[in-house]
Amino acid sequence: MCGITGYFGAGKEVGKYLFDSLKRLEYRGYDSAGVAFVTDEGVEVRKDKGEIDEIQEKLDFENMEGNIGIGHCLHPETLVCTAAGDITKISELDNQKILSVDFGDVEVKNGRKQKLMKHKSPDYLYRVSTPFSDFKATGQHRVFVTEGDGVKEKKVADLNGSELIAVPRRLPHSSKSTKKFQDIPVERHYELDSELRDRLREARERNNDTRKDVERRTGVLAGYLARIERGERNSVEGQRLEKIERLYSDLNIKDEAEFTYLNPVDFPSEPNLDLLQIIGYHIGDGTFHSNRCIRFEDERKEILEEYSSLFKRVFDLSGKIHDRDGHFVLNINSKFLVDWFEKNIPDLFKLTGEEEIPEFVFKSSKEEISSFLKGIFDAEGGVASKARQVYIAMTNESLIKKIQYLLLKFGILSTFRREKKRRNWNDSYKLFINDQKSLKRFKNHIDFTAKGKQKRLDKLIQKTENLNFRYSSSPYKMNYLYHNYLKHTDVSTYKSSDSYCSDMKLERIINKLDGDYSEIKDLIEKYLNSDIIWARFDIEKVKSDVKYVYDLEVEHDHNFIGDLVAQHNSRWATHGGVTKENAHPHTSCDDRFTIVHNGIIENWEELKGELSDHVFTSETDSEVIAHFIEEHCDGDGVEEAVQKFMDRADGSFAVVLLDAEEKKMYAFKRGSPLVLGVGNGETFLASDIYAFSGETNRAIFLEDGEYAIIDEDGYVFKDAEGRKVEKEPREFEWGQVQSERGDYDHYMRKEVGEIPKALERLENSLSTTQKRVLEEFAEIVRNHERVLFTASGTSYHASLLGVFFLHRLGIDAQTLIASEFKNYERVDENTLVVPVSQSGETKDVIDAVEFSKSRGAKIASLINVPHSTIERESDISIRIHAGQEICVAATKTFANQIYLLLKLAEKLGYETDLSELPGQVERVIDRNEPKIQEISKELAEKNDIYIIGRGITYPIAREIALKLKEIAYIHAEGMMGGELKHGTLALIEEGTPVISLIPERDSEIKLNVKEVEAR
């Protein structure tokens, strides 16, 4: 649940108010909702899955039907990397721990807990194909990508192919194999001398039996018996001799015979290097020719000689090599050996196309896995000198993907290709190793047995340049790396490049940097040695071929590796599937306590384990809170139970707890926002003040570790130890929000129409209530060596303009996307950090603020929502007064942020005239709307749109592209006009729209327009 609300009072229809306030919070995102309220009979709870409007329309939540929520889900065949060392289909996961990625250290971590859920599949999925693998997912599933400026999360449906996606370069390995092999009984043979042979023949003849009669009655072949009687065999197998003795009761020769072993076999008790190599070759090109013979075939005799010696070392068995029409055959003849393999490694008996790598191989030591891979590459691998790659091809897709996975344990990257079958052939699946680092690692860890392949591999490594266009080690393009890290160093190479950096280029930069830039060198080396690379991909929408798709929740890092791509934790903001049972509110067993919760309780399973006597009705972490309070309130009281929960719980939470017995409410928080609104004899609770902005303009924000108790007498605040905390309400300047669309078709158009009034509202505050704050803000900018903006999305584009304005005044200013802020290591007490945020609750921006404060930086923020977390964490803050924006795409916010940044620049000496701006904006909207509607109809049919700008219009170009992606779902790219010729121009063909933003007297952008027209 992304937004919570509460009410204590007697002046309203509770159900109507609660849903009205949830509606105001709809911009936070819901897939389910519900309410609980106290009646004379107790607590009544109504909840269900679906959107707010759907639920509110029906009100009778118990009878809702036809609403199916689709979460962030993957195809059931998705292969997930487990901590046990193997890969498992996501649909077959049980309680295995799995691998995940720490994007801070750029390392793959082992042993994360996971929770699996499934949902009905939508009609269509998306197939995402990298050079290394492909996967299918719903459009809402998230992955990790870069657009050249750092790591970000993106929905699959929003991918356009210009990004690079996170792929593992190396996977951890922990050897945990405890495999022990079992011996099999080896058949004893008995040597019969001439006297015993005669007694055997005489017993048969005495009973008038022919050898065929004996064969018919015992199964001992007549020819075998003849050779024994004639002395042509030195010994007879014990089981056969016993069958003959049972046939003739007066024959007793076994006890008198001397027993011996024929072809004695030494069976290993556990896996070893030589055995793993034999297993690898057998999977690739070996057969059990009969129940007495193992056969290997190869064109090179030297290969079979090597494997014959391996059998000798492992089993003390000698094989025979035969020349068969230009190729060679190695036969190892031993029924006992075949029996041993069947008992201990039955996976080797599967048919072609169904081969399986034995489970213990994945848990073996790296050296043993190396031997296994050498065996399988000896059998099916080769070196393509002209194509400059090592390859392996098989007809079993699952097998080839597992080989690819095992290679990653050595940091060996291999691209994957599927080839459709030709006549009389099955589909084939191939891996190719073709970058120099991987080829060197293959040589060092695996290699080939054949000397010819060894020599070709050596030459291939020498010829292969240290370049690779299939991936990048760094998530930064060269221009981003230059402007954010290298600009003030002595490295200026490639500074204008809009391409990603090859490893060779990054290594050259490291070599050029002197000792004064060790932190930058460490950053680059971190990416060069990281476990993650960034790969290009293709994406297509495909018809779903399955009934169900699967969600996976992962603790800590909230991601996992599926089909060799770093996949986002599927349901990262909640626990449990989208069902009525999992919707909030949740109640205790006795129905006394009801809770709503925003956040994640990370140790919920541990807490739930202590509540074994309680009956849970959902899969959520949130329900644990209600039962925990119920469990601990009997002996300690409710207030003490709340304190105990806050002490025990890990993670983030904002909780409103309703006690039906005492008719009280409790509110407590850590990490997630929670605010109490003060009315006339009424108390409101919500995730932010939007929820009750039409009811009161007085509010008190809870701080982490505080809790509030609300009853008919009012409210009281206490700290984590139960000590009373005096807090006074703050008044905020926020009238009632007009949330209805009115005559507009949709909220975005309504909010665009509100921009002029929003600008007037901001100008009025800057000349009155915020006048002194603006002057102080400008003075703080003057007194700092550099200004560093940080923001996300639309606010980031506004901050780019802030940098533009300040640069014109000679002020050292930069901006960093908040999610990448911690990688900027030059924040100190001389840095003024300016967070820009509409909500004031953006997690990445809050993290950047906390990081900056820990380095001694001063914080001066631009915020829309009063008293939000970022505003409270700031040394000084200016409000942009854009008002509430119901539409996801920020419009009033962007306009007011730019206006405020212009007014700040004006205070610092920037020449501008903003006196007529609100009226000018209104006239532009009214005058151009018909033309805009006409153009939009044409653009709606396009697949790609490019927007170019220069200088002051470049951030606007990026914002336009963002809006097209957010609202129209069209691939759009906003870029500098001068960069058009560096790659993008090649993508522009006849009919491709290019929007040019041309300010007055700008001749350079017109030259870029000419370049486009020439296409």
Side-chain angles (χ1 to χ4, degrees):
M1 193 170 235
C2 297
I4 61 177
T5 182
Y7 172 80
F8 199 109
K12 301 191 184 306
E13 296 179 16
V14 177
K16 183 179 186 307
Y17 166 73
L18 290 176
F19 268 92
D20 285 346
S21 60
L22 283 175
K23 182 66 180 173
R24 294 189 189 103
L25 296 177
E26 190 173 18
Y27 74 94
R28 298 173 70 94
Y30 294 102
D31 51 24
S32 61
V35 299
F37 47 93
V38 179
T39 67
D40 292 338
E41 288 76 30
V43 175
E44 182 174 351
V45 177
R46 299 182 182 181
K47 61 181 182 177
D48 214 317
K49 61 187 179 183
E51 296 182 359
I52 299 294
D53 282 338
E54 295 173 341
I55 299 172
Q56 189 177 23
E57 224 174 81
K58 301 187 179 180
L59 288 179
D60 184 5
F61 306 118
E62 296 300 322
N63 293 321
M64 286 191 68
E65 58 185 7
N67 299 312
I68 298 173
I70 299 299
H72 310 159
C73 306
L74 288 159
H75 193 280
E77 297 292 314
T78 302
L79 294 173
V80 177
C81 297
T82 74
D86 59 3
I87 51 178
T88 303
K89 292 179 182 178
I90 190 171
S91 56
E92 297 175 1
L93 280 172
D94 191 6
N95 295 317
Q96 301 103 309
K97 292 184 177 181
I98 62 175
L99 304 185
S100 65
V101 182
D102 181 340
F103 280 98
D105 296 331
V106 207
E107 292 181 354
V108 177
K109 302 289 187 179
N110 212 340
R112 300 306 193 199
K113 293 181 180 178
Q114 53 80 20
K115 181 179 178 183
L116 184 68
M117 294 161 289
K118 72 177 181 179
H119 305 285
K120 285 187 178 180
S121 174
D123 292 336
Y124 286 89
L125 300 174
Y126 290 82
R127 179 189 285 121
V128 179
S129 303
T130 76
F132 308 98
S133 64
D134 55 30
F135 69 91
K136 292 180 185 177
T138 64
Q140 296 300 306
H141 180 71
R142 293 174 183 266
V143 289
F144 295 89
V145 300
T146 179
E147 293 176 307
D149 53 1
V151 184
K152 60 187 67 175
E153 302 158 11
K154 218 170 185 182
K155 291 180 181 178
V156 169
D158 294 338
L159 297 175
N160 54 52
S162 66
E163 310 91 342
L164 301 187
I165 198 166
V167 171
R169 173 189 356 229
R170 180 171 44 247
L171 296 177
H173 178 72
S174 55
S175 177
K176 296 181 180 179
S177 177
T178 58
K179 179 69 175 178
K180 296 294 183 182
F181 296 128
Q182 300 178 46
D183 278 344
I184 62 165
V186 176
E187 181 70 52
R188 288 189 171 193
H189 281 238
Y190 292 83
E191 185 175 342
L192 304 182
D193 58 21
S194 59
E195 180 186 349
L196 295 177
R197 291 197 300 272
D198 288 343
R199 287 167 56 185
L200 170 61
R201 177 178 50 77
E202 290 170 356
R204 175 178 61 79
E205 292 175 346
R206 193 162 49 247
N207 287 276
N208 298 317
D209 288 334
T210 65
R211 296 189 183 100
K212 279 292 183 180
D213 293 332
V214 174
E215 178 180 343
R216 186 172 58 254
R217 295 164 67 184
T218 66
V220 178
L221 296 178
Y224 181 89
L225 182 57
R227 290 193 295 276
I228 293 294
E229 291 178 351
R230 291 196 293 262
E232 295 172 0
R233 285 190 61 90
N234 294 326
S235 63
V236 59
E237 290 176 346
Q239 290 181 351
R240 296 182 183 182
L241 185 56
E242 289 174 358
K243 290 178 180 179
I244 297 172
E245 284 187 331
R246 286 196 294 272
L247 182 63
Y248 306 118
S249 58
D250 59 341
L251 181 64
N252 186 17
I253 60 176
K254 178 182 172 185
D255 291 340
E256 299 179 42
E258 180 180 352
F259 77 87
T260 184
Y261 291 101
L262 182 66
N263 290 336
V265 182
D266 288 340
F267 295 125
S269 61
E270 58 187 15
N272 59 56
L273 298 180
D274 292 340
L275 176 60
L276 266 291
Q277 188 171 339
I278 289 172
I279 294 171
Y281 193 97
H282 190 282
I283 290 175
D285 210 3
T287 59
F288 290 101
H289 185 60
S290 70
N291 66 347
R292 294 172 175 270
C293 175
I294 297 175
R295 173 171 291 180
F296 286 5
E297 299 187 34
D298 205 287
E299 295 177 351
R300 293 142 302 189
K301 188 176 182 181
E302 61 173 308
I303 297 293
L304 299 185
E305 289 174 340
E306 170 64 18
Y307 281 88
S308 179
S309 67
L310 292 180
F311 274 102
K312 182 65 175 176
R313 289 204 297 268
V314 176
F315 299 103
D316 195 26
L317 285 175
S318 299
K320 296 181 179 180
I321 299 175
H322 306 280
D323 187 346
R324 295 274 182 88
D325 299 325
H327 73 281
F328 296 90
V329 174
L330 167 66
N331 287 331
I332 306 293
N333 295 303
S334 170
K335 179 182 184 300
F336 314 131
L337 183 59
V338 174
D339 290 344
W340 183 87
F341 272 110
E342 187 171 19
K343 183 172 186 176
N344 288 285
I345 316 177
D347 288 322
L348 299 186
F349 287 79
K350 293 185 180 293
L351 300 175
T352 301
E354 299 176 3
E355 303 96 335
E356 286 285 348
I357 296 175
E359 184 178 344
F360 71 84
V361 172
F362 295 96
K363 301 175 184 178
S364 298
S365 69
K366 285 186 71 172
E367 291 78 11
E368 289 169 342
I369 293 174
S370 170
S371 291
F372 170 81
L373 290 171
K374 183 170 187 173
I376 208 161
F377 271 88
D378 275 345
E380 299 289 356
V383 180
S385 300
K386 291 185 178 180
R388 297 190 175 187
Q389 55 195 11
V390 169
Y391 65 88
I392 186 170
M394 308 193 83
T395 58
N396 184 330
E397 182 177 11
S398 173
L399 179 62
I400 205 79
K401 287 185 175 181
K402 290 180 178 180
I403 294 169
Q404 185 183 33
Y405 167 78
L406 290 174
L407 288 170
L408 285 174
K409 291 178 179 287
F410 302 91
I412 300 172
L413 287 165
S414 55
T415 59
F416 170 81
R417 190 168 74 203
R418 179 185 293 105
E419 293 185 356
K420 289 295 182 182
K421 63 183 179 181
R422 292 171 288 180
R423 183 181 299 177
N424 299 326
W425 289 86
N426 294 322
D427 290 355
S428 65
Y429 306 93
K430 298 180 178 180
L431 298 179
F432 302 95
I433 304 170
N434 41 35
D435 69 278
Q436 191 182 59
K437 287 184 178 180
S438 293
L439 288 169
K440 285 182 176 179
R441 291 177 182 134
F442 182 87
K443 175 68 178 178
N444 293 334
H445 293 287
I446 300 170
D447 208 355
F448 294 98
T449 296
K451 290 183 173 56
K453 291 183 180 180
Q454 291 177 4
K455 291 179 180 178
R456 289 197 295 276
L457 177 58
D458 291 338
K459 290 181 180 179
L460 179 58
I461 293 172
Q462 294 172 5
K463 291 180 180 179
T464 306
E465 297 179 352
N466 193 19
L467 293 173
N468 194 291
F469 299 102
R470 291 178 175 83
Y471 69 84
S472 170
S473 292
S474 165
Y476 303 125
K477 288 184 177 179
M478 191 61 224
N479 53 13
Y480 182 91
L481 194 63
Y482 174 79
H483 287 294
N484 290 277
Y485 296 100
L486 304 176
K487 187 175 182 180
H488 300 293
T489 72
D490 54 354
V491 177
S492 59
T493 311
Y494 318 113
K495 66 181 181 181
S496 62
S497 172
D498 190 43
S499 62
Y500 289 92
C501 309
S502 68
D503 285 4
M504 184 171 67
K505 190 183 294 184
L506 292 173
E507 289 166 356
R508 287 178 178 175
I509 291 172
I510 289 175
N511 292 333
K512 288 188 177 183
L513 288 169
D514 58 34
D516 295 334
Y517 301 104
S518 60
E519 292 181 348
I520 299 176
K521 292 175 72 172
D522 289 345
L523 174 69
I524 297 174
E525 286 176 345
K526 178 177 78 170
Y527 285 116
L528 280 172
N529 298 318
S530 70
D531 291 343
I532 296 296
I533 57 170
W534 302 89
R536 302 186 184 280
F537 64 90
D538 295 318
I539 183 169
E540 61 176 327
K541 196 171 185 179
V542 296
K543 186 78 173 173
S544 176
D545 58 347
V546 292
K547 185 175 182 180
Y548 294 102
V549 285
Y550 286 77
D551 279 351
L552 195 62
E553 270 184 30
V554 185
E555 66 172 357
H556 298 304
D557 297 316
H558 304 298
N559 66 70
F560 61 98
I561 296 172
D563 281 335
L564 296 186
V565 169
Q567 311 281 355
H568 197 289
N569 182 82
S570 295
R571 300 201 53 79
W572 63 280
T574 186
H575 288 75
V578 183
T579 66
K580 176 180 174 179
E581 291 74 21
N582 289 338
H584 293 225
H586 294 289
T587 59
S588 58
C589 293
D590 59 7
D591 289 333
R592 174 180 173 181
F593 300 107
T594 306
I595 66 99
V596 287
H597 163 230
N598 185 26
I600 299 174
I601 308 300
E602 292 182 357
N603 62 333
W604 69 280
E605 289 179 312
E606 174 190 343
L607 298 178
K608 184 176 180 179
E610 300 171 5
L611 303 168
S612 57
D613 294 335
H614 291 250
V615 177
F616 287 78
T617 60
S618 77
E619 301 172 313
T620 68
D621 59 332
S622 303
E623 190 184 357
V624 170
I625 304 170
H627 293 286
F628 186 96
I629 300 299
E630 179 186 17
E631 175 74 16
H632 292 280
C633 75
D634 289 342
D636 301 327
V638 180
E639 193 173 336
E640 289 75 13
V642 168
Q643 293 175 19
K644 185 172 289 188
F645 174 80
M646 295 172 69
D647 180 61
R648 291 288 312 282
D650 295 333
S652 63
F653 51 83
V655 179
V656 176
L657 169 72
L658 175 62
D659 181 352
E661 184 176 301
E662 299 291 336
K663 291 186 170 52
K664 290 182 179 181
M665 295 176 71
Y666 296 80
F668 45 99
K669 64 151 289 201
R670 182 201 298 146
S672 298
L674 189 58
V675 58
L676 181 146
V678 181
N680 185 16
E682 300 172 306
T683 304
F684 307 89
L685 289 161
S687 299
D688 66 45
I689 57 176
Y690 277 136
F692 51 75
S693 59
E695 309 297 336
T696 181
N697 67 341
R698 297 195 301 151
I700 304 173
F701 286 82
L702 278 80
E703 301 298 332
D704 284 354
E706 290 182 346
Y707 64 94
I709 307 170
I710 302 99
D711 58 22
E712 60 185 10
D713 296 325
Y715 55 85
V716 62
F717 285 87
K718 295 188 178 184
D719 65 16
E721 304 299 324
R723 295 183 293 262
K724 191 173 181 179
V725 178
E726 297 295 337
K727 296 171 80 77
E728 293 296 325
R730 300 180 186 179
E731 291 190 4
F732 56 91
E733 303 164 14
W734 207 303
Q736 182 170 358
V737 177
Q738 188 68 30
S739 60
E740 290 76 19
R741 290 200 306 267
D743 296 331
Y744 295 99
D745 293 334
H746 45 77
Y747 280 109
M748 183 173 178
R749 178 61 188 89
K750 170 182 177 287
E751 289 168 1
V752 169
E754 292 173 348
I755 290 176
K757 289 194 178 298
L759 292 171
E760 289 177 356
R761 188 164 54 243
L762 175 57
E763 172 56 35
N764 180 61
S765 76
L766 294 176
S767 60
T768 55
T769 57
Q770 293 198 114
K771 181 178 180 180
R772 184 173 295 179
V773 180
L774 179 60
E775 292 171 349
E776 184 181 347
F777 201 117
E779 188 61 26
I780 292 173
V781 172
R782 291 190 188 97
N783 293 333
H784 279 79
E785 292 182 5
R786 57 184 174 273
V787 178
L788 182 56
F789 291 89
T790 185
S792 301
T794 289
S795 297
Y796 173 71
H797 298 152
S799 72
L800 284 170
L801 285 165
V803 172
F804 178 88
F805 301 146
L806 295 185
H807 278 181
R808 293 301 179 274
L809 300 169
I811 296 173
D812 183 2
Q814 298 181 58
T815 184
L816 281 173
I817 288 178
S819 60
E820 277 297 300
F821 193 87
K822 290 183 181 179
N823 288 324
Y824 186 83
E825 298 292 343
R826 295 184 61 209
V827 177
D828 55 30
E829 64 275 4
N830 297 315
T831 307
L832 176 64
V833 175
V834 183
V836 185
S837 172
Q838 187 282 130
S839 68
E841 302 292 349
T842 308
K843 185 66 167 61
D844 288 335
V845 184
I846 292 173
D847 289 345
V849 168
E850 292 175 351
F851 175 80
S852 301
K853 292 178 73 172
S854 72
R855 298 297 180 93
K858 201 174 189 69
I859 310 298
S861 59
L862 277 63
I863 300 297
N864 189 37
V865 178
H867 311 298
S868 57
T869 299
I870 294 174
E871 183 179 85
R872 301 198 309 276
E873 291 291 322
S874 301
D875 297 291
I876 186 173
S877 183
I878 303 183
R879 299 171 186 170
I880 66 171
H881 287 288
Q884 184 184 10
E885 291 201 269
I886 295 175
C887 181
V888 172
T891 50
K892 295 181 294 181
T893 295
F894 187 57
N896 279 32
Q897 286 171 339
I898 296 171
Y899 188 90
L900 180 51
L901 289 166
L902 271 169
K903 293 296 287 188
L904 174 62
E906 188 178 53
K907 283 289 181 186
L908 294 166
Y910 190 80
E911 294 185 6
T912 184
D913 180 8
L914 302 175
S915 59
E916 300 296 326
L917 186 61
Q920 291 172 336
V921 170
E922 188 169 18
R923 288 191 294 275
V924 167
I925 294 172
D926 292 342
R927 185 186 309 128
N928 291 290
E929 184 163 13
K931 185 65 174 176
I932 291 171
Q933 289 180 345
E934 179 184 336
I935 294 173
S936 66
K937 289 179 181 178
E938 181 179 350
L939 293 180
E941 304 301 320
K942 302 298 182 180
N943 294 321
D944 306 281
I945 300 176
Y946 298 91
I947 308 97
I948 59 174
R950 297 184 77 107
I952 197 170
T953 61
Y954 163 61
I956 309 297
R958 290 192 58 163
E959 178 63 11
I960 292 171
L962 176 62
K963 291 292 184 281
L964 286 169
K965 286 183 277 193
E966 283 183 323
I967 304 302
Y969 303 107
I970 295 174
H971 166 237
E973 187 173 348
M975 60 191 306
M976 300 173 182
E979 290 299 298
L980 195 64
K981 58 182 173 289
H982 296 296
T984 305
L985 199 60
L987 302 176
I988 296 173
E989 55 190 21
E990 185 176 352
T992 303
V994 178
I995 300 172
S996 304
L997 307 181
I998 307 178
E1000 291 182 310
R1001 300 182 298 279
D1002 189 335
S1003 59
E1004 290 183 305
I1005 193 71
K1006 293 178 181 178
L1007 293 176
N1008 302 136
V1009 173
K1010 292 292 185 185
E1011 292 175 337
V1012 174
E1013 289 176 343
R1015 298 292 296 177

